[in-house]
Amino acid sequence: TIINHLKLIGYNLTPPDGSVVEVTFSHEEETPITAEIEAGFQMSTTGLDGNVVYFELMANKNDYVTPLKIENKVSETFLAYSGQRIEKEILVDKNEDFEILLPNTSIIKDSIRVFLVLNELGDLQELEEITSLVLAGGDTEFPRYTISYNHDFSATIKFGKENFGGSFGDITEGIEETYKSLIVQYKIGGGLATNIPPNTLKGKIKRNGYNLTYTNNSSATGGANGESIEDAKRLAPLTVKTVNKTNTPEDYVCLLYT
């Protein structure tokens, strides 16, 4: 298939990107209040394509911990990012190289995060994605991985000591089987349809005893569709001709010093 040929030359489809929008929360009675909204609070509206799109309120992209606070004000404006978070726990049942398929489609660009569960307390170590095999050399304490996207923007996470550095065999030997697991987090959604116009993301909530209304006073921006197969067929040959492609050991040496 075209996708397999692209992978052979190291070309990865660009997945869809999510949009971001400012959302203003206001006290209905218009008096200063102090209230807190949980990170990841989810809102929805109709996207530009007529389908439902979701937004999550966060202090920073992918920050599902830090709460959003209105401190002695009538209103406050926060950022909301398009998409829905999905979290999966995956048992590591073998030490050799393996792959994890994320079957959901339209996975948002740069949203995939992989964590190793370190102990029974649930402590996590975030693992590193390798985006270039040239940068994958050297010793590493924890396993690393690569990501490739399919035509529907589902994704495959690939672990392998030979190519990417680190293996589960190095760190899981002797650990009880129940703690040989990964937590994979990612978001689905995104695309041009999430660039919603002003005053379309509306609702009411109650926090800390106060009734709040919210809306977006400006348009969402940054949403982009994933790369099409036709675009990839046009762009992929150009990357083969760049100096960032390597075929022999000498090529790698030259690239490292450029």
Side-chain angles (χ1 to χ4, degrees):
T1 65
I2 295 295
I3 294 294
N4 288 335
H5 282 91
L6 293 174
K7 290 178 180 179
L8 285 175
I9 63 172
Y11 190 91
N12 205 6
L13 289 176
T14 301
D17 212 348
S19 63
V20 60
V21 65
E22 291 184 340
V23 181
T24 299
F25 286 74
S26 303
H27 183 209
E28 283 190 332
E29 298 179 12
E30 298 186 354
T31 56
I33 62 169
T34 296
E36 186 173 286
I37 306 168
E38 67 277 10
F41 171 70
Q42 191 173 91
M43 302 160 284
S44 64
T45 188
T46 302
L48 300 182
D49 60 356
N51 296 315
V52 176
V53 292
Y54 295 90
F55 287 82
E56 296 177 323
L57 203 68
M58 287 178 282
N60 296 289
K61 190 176 183 180
N62 296 324
D63 181 355
Y64 288 92
V65 177
T66 307
L68 294 304
K69 297 181 179 181
I70 304 172
E71 297 184 299
N72 197 31
K73 292 183 178 180
V74 174
S75 65
E76 187 65 273
T77 300
F78 306 108
L79 293 179
Y81 298 85
S82 67
Q84 290 178 285
R85 183 174 70 155
I86 294 177
E87 181 172 295
K88 295 179 179 293
E89 183 170 6
I90 299 170
L91 180 67
V92 181
D93 57 358
K94 51 188 174 182
N95 293 331
E96 64 268 21
D97 301 352
F98 67 98
E99 298 180 357
I100 300 169
L101 174 64
L102 305 180
N104 301 84
T105 59
S106 297
I107 294 176
I108 293 178
K109 180 181 178 182
D110 298 328
S111 71
I112 298 175
R113 302 175 70 189
V114 182
F115 302 85
L116 177 68
V117 180
L118 296 176
N119 51 45
E120 60 183 328
L121 300 177
D123 293 330
L124 302 177
Q125 170 65 48
E126 184 166 4
L127 304 182
E128 178 187 3
E129 177 193 357
I130 294 298
T131 56
S132 169
L133 294 183
V134 176
L135 304 176
D139 295 331
T140 176
E141 182 179 1
F142 295 101
R144 299 183 287 184
Y145 62 91
T146 60
I147 298 173
S148 61
Y149 292 92
N150 303 308
H151 70 280
D152 59 356
F153 299 107
S154 58
T156 299
I157 300 174
K158 185 175 182 180
F159 287 91
K161 184 173 183 178
E162 180 177 351
N163 292 323
F164 316 129
S167 77
F168 288 94
D170 296 336
I171 62 175
T172 60
E173 192 162 338
I175 300 179
E176 294 183 30
E177 191 67 29
T178 52
Y179 308 134
K180 287 187 179 182
S181 60
L182 296 171
I183 301 294
V184 180
Q185 298 175 352
Y186 57 99
K187 295 182 71 173
I188 58 174
L192 289 172
T194 64
N195 292 328
I196 57 173
N199 303 313
T200 51
L201 192 62
K202 298 181 178 181
K204 296 183 178 182
I205 60 172
K206 189 170 185 176
R207 294 294 186 275
N208 301 98
Y210 300 107
N211 293 317
L212 305 174
T213 61
Y214 63 83
T215 189
N216 61 310
N217 295 317
S218 58
S219 298
T221 60
N225 292 334
E227 184 179 7
S228 69
I229 295 296
E230 290 305 312
D231 284 342
K233 288 165 65 176
R234 176 174 55 85
L235 295 173
L238 301 178
T239 68
V240 178
K241 300 176 182 179
T242 69
V243 295
N244 291 326
K245 293 297 176 183
T246 55
N247 298 295
T248 68
E250 290 76 15
D251 292 338
Y252 281 93
V253 173
C254 292
L255 181 57
L256 286 174
Y257 287 95
T258 59

